Amino acid sequence: RLFGNMYAEVKLLKDFRFKTNIGADYDASIYKFYTPSDIGKYRAAAPQPISASQSNTNRKNYLIENTLTYNKLIKEHSIQVLLGQSYQREDQELLKVTATDFGDSSIKNIAGGSSFKVEPSQYSWAMISYFARLNYNWQDKYIFSASMRRDGSSRFGNNTKWGMFPALSAAWLISKENFFQNSDALKFIDMLKIKASYGSQGNDNIADSYETPRYTNTYDIVNSSGHPASVPKVLGNKDITWETNGNFNAGFDFEMFKSRFSGTFEFFNRKTSDMLFSFPLPPSYGYTSYYANIGDMRNRGLELDLKGVILQTKDFYWDVNVNLTHYKNKVSYLPDERKTM
């Protein structure tokens, strides 16, 4: 396996920087298996015929990313703006050969067989993205962030290829306010931050578009009486699109007693929209299955994470961490036609 990355960064004017990043990952592997004829006697089963197989895989993945950032500090105001574009692609080829009918057990690889089964496969996947982000910080007390992504995936058809995914977050470091620092009743609190955020992410992990695209009909190529023939495999759905995960979080972080006791409390509400699901089809239909966006699901709950330092000396440190989570899942929307399938 070989992987690495390189980048070039240019400073433009006073507050702008342009960066190009290129990453590559190449993986080549060979797996060999051999099953001797006497393996059955070790598991109280009938002896198995000799078989061997070999799988060769080559995978290439690369990423090209370009970003332009603007950083500005105006007195107590910190502003950062980022604009970017990225392109990622992965290609993989797999060739598996299985050999049987061995005439000589001394040859422990596929060269000893006289009957062969060849299983080739390949896929390609690509995604192009455009994104922007704004970060704003005032006096390290008020923190705001907003971002937007537009992703296009080769796993969807032309009409549903693109998805928009926004995100917003805000935080108030209330412990830095004058009224908080001047209060004797709050001296034991070292840090208190109130925060809230909402963000959405897209999921396209259903299948690799060139091998088994889900937006068009696919077929298996088989041998039929010495001639190639196509057999229906997966029924395409041209309307299939991104599964979207929307996450809302609100809570607070705190540190007390010179940071010996700290924790985080959060309420979360996660909604998955347009869930991707595979539906089986009866054999009489010809195709074995198809994919569709079937409905929405909600995951709501509370999470508490606490950390306490019990003993801390020059040579010894003892702390305890406790995490408590309560949540409930619910399918919030399912079309009537899907409830009986």
Side-chain angles (χ1 to χ4, degrees):
R1 183 181 180 185
L2 301 173
F3 56 92
N5 68 284
M6 62 180 182
Y7 74 91
E9 189 173 47
V10 180
K11 184 177 181 180
L12 305 173
L13 302 177
K14 181 180 179 181
D15 304 308
F16 291 89
R17 288 183 181 272
F18 177 79
K19 182 177 180 180
T20 293
N21 183 72
I22 300 175
D25 186 351
Y26 174 73
D27 185 6
S29 58
I30 300 176
Y31 293 91
K32 298 180 179 181
F33 299 90
Y34 177 76
T35 304
S37 61
D38 59 353
I39 194 171
K41 69 181 184 180
Y42 299 112
R43 57 186 185 189
Q48 302 294 312
I50 299 174
S51 65
S53 66
Q54 179 172 319
S55 300
N56 293 22
T57 303
N58 286 281
R59 182 183 63 86
K60 295 177 290 184
N61 188 304
Y62 61 88
L63 170 70
I64 302 173
E65 188 174 66
N66 300 295
T67 57
L68 177 66
T69 57
Y70 170 78
N71 288 282
K72 190 68 175 180
L73 183 61
I74 306 174
K75 295 183 179 180
E76 298 175 330
H77 304 271
S78 175
I79 303 171
Q80 182 187 72
V81 180
L82 180 143
L83 300 175
Q85 172 269 334
S86 69
Y87 176 76
Q88 184 177 6
R89 181 183 177 99
E90 181 172 289
D91 299 286
Q92 178 171 297
E93 293 186 357
L94 169 67
L95 179 62
K96 181 179 180 180
V97 179
T98 302
T100 55
D101 298 334
F102 278 67
D104 187 348
S105 61
S106 65
I107 303 177
K108 296 178 172 57
N109 55 55
I110 59 174
S114 58
S115 297
F116 301 93
K117 179 181 179 182
V118 181
E119 300 173 88
S121 69
Q122 67 180 62
Y123 78 78
S124 296
W125 164 81
M127 179 182 292
I128 188 168
S129 303
Y130 303 94
F131 48 90
R133 184 178 69 237
L134 168 66
N135 292 331
Y136 173 76
N137 186 322
W138 181 38
Q139 295 183 335
D140 287 329
K141 292 191 294 186
Y142 310 104
I143 303 168
F144 174 80
S145 178
S147 66
M148 175 66 76
R149 289 186 64 93
R150 177 172 168 82
D151 295 325
S153 173
S154 64
R155 289 170 174 156
F156 303 115
N158 291 332
N159 296 331
T160 59
K161 191 180 300 294
W162 293 93
M164 297 284 289
F165 308 105
L168 291 170
S169 66
W172 178 25
L173 205 62
I174 191 174
S175 55
K176 286 197 171 185
E177 297 287 357
N178 291 333
F179 72 84
F180 193 99
Q181 296 180 346
N182 295 331
S183 173
D184 293 333
L186 301 174
K187 291 293 186 182
F188 67 98
I189 302 177
D190 305 306
M191 187 276 291
L192 179 61
K193 179 170 68 175
I194 301 173
K195 58 185 182 179
S197 66
Y198 174 81
S200 64
Q201 302 86 37
N203 174 33
D204 70 334
N205 191 18
I206 52 173
D208 300 291
S209 59
Y210 287 77
E211 182 189 20
T212 53
R214 303 312 191 194
Y215 57 85
T216 188
N217 298 343
T218 59
Y219 303 84
D220 280 331
I221 306 301
V222 299
N223 187 312
S224 177
S225 302
H227 300 281
S230 60
V231 177
K233 184 179 181 181
V234 177
L235 180 65
N237 180 358
K238 63 182 179 61
D239 296 322
I240 194 170
T241 188
W242 290 86
E243 179 180 283
T244 303
N245 298 304
N247 300 279
F248 173 77
N249 293 67
F252 58 88
D253 301 335
F254 66 89
E255 294 180 2
M256 300 179 179
F257 311 117
K258 297 182 179 180
S259 299
R260 293 180 67 94
F261 181 61
S262 60
T264 297
F265 176 80
E266 282 194 1
F267 164 79
F268 59 86
N269 186 63
R270 299 166 186 164
K271 181 181 179 181
T272 302
S273 304
D274 297 323
M275 292 185 296
L276 295 167
F277 191 77
S278 176
F279 289 96
L281 290 171
S284 58
Y285 203 89
Y287 295 93
T288 59
S289 63
Y290 74 101
Y291 270 78
N293 300 94
I294 65 167
D296 303 339
M297 182 176 68
R298 186 182 67 208
N299 183 344
R300 179 181 293 172
L302 303 170
E303 183 173 10
L304 176 64
D305 188 83
L306 300 174
K307 180 181 178 181
V309 179
I310 297 177
L311 184 61
Q312 182 177 4
T313 67
K314 181 181 178 181
D315 303 311
F316 187 78
Y317 184 85
W318 179 16
D319 68 350
V320 173
N321 185 270
V322 176
N323 182 276
L324 301 172
T325 304
H326 172 75
Y327 66 92
K328 180 182 292 187
N329 287 328
K330 181 181 180 180
V331 176
S332 55
Y333 172 70
L334 192 66
D336 291 335
E337 63 270 20
R338 302 298 188 193
K339 296 178 181 179
T340 57
M341 299 187 69

